[in-house]
Amino acid sequence: MAERVYGYVRVSSTDQNENRQLVALREKAVPQKNIYVDKQSGKDFDRPQYQALLKRLKAGDLLYILSIDRLGRSYTEIQEQWRILTKSIGADVCVIDMPLLDTRTGKDLMGAFIADLVLQILSFVAQSERESIRERQRQGIAAAKAKGVRFGRPPAPLPESYHRAYRRWKAGKISGAAAAKECGMPLSSFRYRAGVDQKR
């Protein structure tokens, strides 16, 4: 029976830790070889390990996931993947942190109704939380920029010859390409910096 028990783990990026999910799966006695781990965003299902898991799952198999948002964060996509797993493949799914989402129990009409209702609510909450996080990030970035915080790599120091070449270019004595060459900068970098300086 253990051969037919699987687990799926997803973290949103390579620097996030999947240990909490792995511990939960081991507590359910999921064999290590049957645990599939993806380290990438939940915005779509183009994930190698998830796709490999789908090819291996058969009717009657059991899949454990720690929480519903491990399947994704889009309401419609979570619903679709749940349908594929439980209806198209015919596997059972158990969401560890939400016991009502365990297709092994409540096989009657009322149990199925409750599970579907809980799934819809949790899918909605997962998507809403994702949108809320993105909005908070947007607001935080806007507030930081308003305070003068700069994002991205710090600008490379200007060559010592830049200001002389810039003045000559601005006076029309040399072309932009000649000025860029004179100070050892790519033409696009020179044009960008010269544009900034002209606005000052």
Side-chain angles (χ1 to χ4, degrees), residues 27-187:
E27 288 176 352
K28 295 295 183 181
V30 180
Q32 182 64 39
K33 66 178 182 177
N34 288 358
I35 296 176
Y36 291 75
V37 181
D38 276 314
K39 291 190 175 187
Q40 64 189 89
S41 170
K43 67 181 179 181
D44 57 51
F45 277 80
D46 184 22
R47 309 183 208 145
Q49 290 299 301
Y50 183 78
Q51 296 302 326
L53 171 64
L54 288 185
K55 290 177 183 176
R56 193 169 172 192
L57 277 175
K58 302 285 189 297
D61 290 350
L62 172 61
L63 173 64
Y64 281 106
I65 56 174
L66 178 59
S67 58
I68 195 65
D69 63 353
R70 297 306 86 197
L71 284 182
R73 292 172 290 181
S74 159
Y75 176 87
T76 55
E77 197 62 54
I78 291 173
Q79 298 281 330
E80 175 64 11
Q81 294 306 314
W82 188 269
R83 185 194 64 77
I84 290 171
L85 292 166
T86 61
K87 302 292 193 297
S88 299
I89 296 175
D92 279 313
V93 180
C94 176
V95 180
I96 297 170
D97 67 2
M98 181 50 65
L100 283 173
L101 286 179
D102 185 343
T103 59
R104 296 170 299 174
T105 61
K107 295 282 188 181
D108 61 359
L109 186 60
M110 180 58 73
F113 171 75
I114 292 172
D116 285 347
L117 190 60
V118 171
L119 176 64
Q120 289 187 43
I121 292 170
L122 290 181
S123 302
F124 173 78
V125 169
Q127 179 169 330
S128 296
E129 177 61 18
R130 179 180 179 221
E131 291 172 357
S132 177
I133 289 170
R134 290 174 67 181
E135 178 60 19
R136 289 196 299 268
Q137 288 174 336
R138 187 194 66 76
Q139 291 174 351
I141 290 170
K145 284 183 176 178
K147 292 180 179 178
V149 175
R150 298 185 67 175
F151 293 88
R153 292 182 301 177
L158 286 172
E160 291 181 10
S161 55
Y162 166 77
H163 293 291
R164 180 173 176 274
Y166 168 73
R167 286 192 297 271
R168 294 178 65 210
W169 167 80
K170 190 175 180 183
K173 294 180 180 178
I174 57 174
S175 67
K181 186 175 182 181
E182 186 175 303
C183 56
M185 295 174 71
L187 179 57

Side-chain angles (χ1 to χ4, degrees), residues 150 158 162 166 169-170 188-200:
R150 298 185 67 175
L158 286 172
Y162 166 77
Y166 168 73
W169 167 80
K170 190 175 180 183
S188 59
S189 298
F190 176 82
R191 283 178 173 164
Y192 173 77
R193 178 57 198 238
V196 171
D197 288 340
Q198 279 187 306
K199 292 176 183 177
R200 290 178 174 172

